[in-house]
Amino acid sequence: MIDNLNHIRDMIDRHGQGEVTLIAVTKYQTIEDTNAIIELGVKDIGESRAQDLEQKLPDISPEARIHFIGHLQRNKVKDIIRHVTLIHSVDSFRLARQIDRLARENELVMDILVQVNIAHEDAKWGFDEDELDQVLQDIAELPNVRIQGLMMMAPMVEDPEEVRGYFRKMKELFDYYADLNYNNVYMKYLSMGMTNDYKIALEEGSNMIRIGTALFQ
Ligand SMILES: *Cc1c(COP(=O)(O)O)cnc(C)c1O
């Protein structure tokens, strides 16, 4: 685990375009390994299933910042909202509205990212880029959510060079909306890059990578 971590940190130093947050994706890890990586200094952890997260919650180190990165069903929002730092995977307006409602009930403002289906894959969640402008404006009206950036998952390919264009497109969208500067829309985090493609994602300007396999294998 420590060797893997050192390697990833070195890759961030060499290929990152500035400050980068490493999220350790702990979705398949035991509570022991989850807490071990936090102990090693990776305080940001990613979970993708509400049920698994709920089971781990009582035992996760209080130092952790928990990121929700998987598809989130509206009826699960209530179970996680008090415990997570950032929800990366907002993929419908109805989900955003439910997060807003529950955030208000819990007297908090929830930071979210809007997921973009940049490669128009049928099997992936997220908005098409041509829906993005309207959806950002609609979500921005919700007082108890705060859009902090964009998230994407690249198609699975043998050679990650094949998806460089998608990362580049995401960075262009990110910069475009940063410049537009809509009220209540902050382009702080661009969450992209996983085990297979994070080097390319870093080169193209990702500032938040989500790594499971390369860290824990
Ligand atoms: C599982 C998962 C990851 C990490 O995947 P690895 O290939 O194991 O690094 C990142 N992001 C999301 C949304 C995931 O579900």
Side-chain angles (χ1 to χ4, degrees), residues 71-72 74 77 89-101 112 114-115 126-127 131-143 145 147:
H71 175 63
L72 180 57
R74 278 176 291 138
V77 174
S89 41
V90 173
D91 53 15
S92 73
F93 181 69
R94 294 172 79 196
L95 173 61
R97 210 168 44 191
Q98 177 73 352
I99 294 169
D100 177 64
R101 185 178 304 141
I112 64 160
V114 172
Q115 183 167 355
F127 297 98
E131 305 173 280
L132 197 54
D133 195 84
Q134 189 60 51
V135 107
L136 288 173
Q137 295 188 61
D138 290 346
I139 295 176
E141 301 275 324
L142 304 170
V145 300
I147 299 172

Side-chain angles (χ1 to χ4, degrees), residues 25 27 48 69 151 153 194-195 210-213:
V25 175
K27 64 183 178 196
S48 64
I69 61 173
M151 179 271 211
M153 286 174 85
M194 304 165 42
T195 292
R210 312 178 305 265
I211 311 286
T213 311

Side-chain angles (χ1 to χ4, degrees), residues 23-52:
I23 298 174
V25 175
T26 50
K27 64 183 178 196
Y28 297 132
Q29 306 308 319
T30 61
I31 188 66
E32 289 77 17
D33 284 344
T34 300
N35 283 333
I37 199 73
I38 297 165
E39 187 73 18
L40 286 174
V42 186
K43 306 272 196 263
D44 292 277
I45 63 164
E47 288 280 337
S48 64
R49 291 193 60 224
Q51 244 164 324
D52 295 345

Side-chain angles (χ1 to χ4, degrees), residues 8 23-24 26 38 53 55 75 96 104 118-119 136 169 204 206:
I8 293 164
I23 298 174
T26 50
I38 297 165
L53 174 56
Q55 277 189 355
N75 64 357
R104 190 153 44 253
I118 197 74
L136 288 173
K169 224 162 159 188
E204 295 301 329
S206 167

